[in-house]
Amino acid sequence: MTTIGIVGCGAIGQALIKASEAGSLTLPITGISSRTEESARAFLATIDDPPEYCSQTELIAKSDLIVEAAGGDVIPKLAYETFQSGKDLMAISVGALISHPEILDMARDRRCKIYAPSGAIAGLDGIKSASSGKIDSVIMTTRKPVEALEGSPHLIEKGISVLGLTEEQEIFSGTAREACLGFPANVNVSAAVSFAGIGPDRTQIRIIAVPGLDRNCHDIVVEGEFGRLHIEIENIPTENPRTGRLTVMSIIRTLQGISDPLQIGT
């Protein structure tokens, strides 16, 4: 059975450990590492049978699959160490793969796998299928609460605060590549959509800040020789307003699928 090591003990890392404790995640967790050791150990103390706290190097050595749940800035170094050890990586912060395409080359050279769960998005199997033919356009519109968007690099660069908005406002329009650079904690979904379809430079993204919104909403329209695909998602956030519950569920299901004899979907 595949063993997993978790890097990061925020909303996603904690949810995975709780899922293991509840029995909905059955793959063995060999350990967890975090940049904030003190708070990670405090959380582990609340678990009846917690995984071991490890250094990142120890974690990679004792696990078959490393699950990144710590943010895109850890991906380059983590991927290098993971692939050098011949282990596979699950990248939750899939947007980092757009900024660091060398990671894909490294995985290919070392014959390692990168798993990128669907996360907060549905319909990726349809987009992947369509990409085997001609796709004319992919347009994604994301609506999020202002609290989830405040402090994003794009807004800081523009000197914008969205907390004072009284009505919805478009705060970004551009490519998936640009969106992932400007909103790295918010639109990993756009990276997943772009990888499934026509790439980060042809996938168009709009981001709208909505005061009082209590869900992360995504609307995707794909057109091509297959016809037209329209996907709508309203995702309830976790304790972290930037992360939807469906994201955590997707990770758990992807991990379970690794050992399932029946693989469903494209």
Side-chain angles (χ1 to χ4, degrees):
M1 184 177 288
T2 300
T3 60
I4 62 174
I6 301 171
V7 176
C9 197
I12 292 176
Q14 291 182 18
L16 294 179
I17 292 172
K18 290 177 181 177
S20 177
E21 184 180 40
S24 57
L25 175 59
T26 57
L27 294 183
I29 299 176
T30 57
I32 186 167
S33 68
S34 174
R35 288 174 291 189
T36 53
E37 180 176 348
E38 184 177 351
S39 60
R41 288 188 180 277
F43 167 74
L44 293 175
T46 68
I47 304 298
D48 290 337
D49 185 20
E52 181 184 0
Y53 184 88
C54 307
S55 70
Q56 185 169 294
T57 300
E58 293 171 333
L59 190 68
I60 292 171
K62 64 195 297 186
S63 308
D64 300 316
L65 171 65
I66 297 299
V67 179
E68 170 275 313
D73 55 330
V74 309
I75 289 273
K77 183 175 184 292
L78 177 62
Y80 177 80
E81 289 189 26
T82 300
F83 298 151
Q84 285 296 112
S85 298
K87 307 299 179 66
D88 296 331
L89 175 68
M90 178 173 286
I92 310 306
S93 306
V94 65
L97 303 181
I98 291 179
S99 303
H100 299 277
E102 72 277 6
I103 293 173
L104 301 176
D105 295 331
M106 196 186 316
R108 190 178 298 109
D109 292 343
R110 301 292 297 185
R111 296 185 178 179
C112 298
K113 285 187 177 181
I114 301 174
Y115 294 92
S118 300
I121 264 331
L124 288 185
D125 55 345
I127 300 174
K128 285 170 63 180
S129 297
S131 71
S132 65
K134 184 177 182 292
I135 293 179
D136 297 315
S137 65
V138 179
I139 301 173
M140 176 175 173
T141 302
T142 289
R143 285 178 167 82
K144 283 202 168 189
V146 293
E147 296 82 5
L149 296 165
E150 179 69 12
S152 298
H154 176 81
L155 298 183
I156 293 174
E157 181 183 336
K158 301 292 184 182
I160 297 172
S161 173
V162 294
L163 293 181
L165 293 179
T166 56
E167 58 184 34
E168 72 172 49
Q169 180 175 314
E170 181 179 293
I171 57 173
F172 174 85
S173 178
T175 67
R177 183 183 301 279
E178 294 166 335
C180 288
L181 289 173
F183 300 86
N186 283 281
V187 289
N188 281 300
V189 288
S190 69
V193 168
S194 72
F195 281 125
I198 53 178
D201 296 312
R202 292 181 59 202
T203 302
Q204 296 298 308
I205 309 295
R206 296 173 64 229
I207 301 175
I208 299 173
V210 185
L213 187 66
D214 61 358
R215 301 190 178 194
N216 297 326
C217 303
H218 307 287
D219 186 285
I220 305 164
V221 177
V222 184
E223 295 190 2
E225 66 174 278
F226 71 95
R228 186 175 187 269
L229 175 64
H230 187 188
I231 305 161
E232 293 184 58
I233 305 102
E234 295 184 8
N235 199 356
I236 298 172
T238 61
E239 297 82 359
N240 181 345
R242 293 178 171 85
T243 303
R245 294 186 186 181
L246 187 61
T247 298
V248 176
M249 295 172 177
S250 168
I251 296 164
I252 292 171
R253 192 62 191 90
T254 302
L255 288 169
Q256 289 296 101
I258 290 172
S259 58
D260 283 354
L262 175 62
Q263 300 292 316
I264 301 292
T266 302

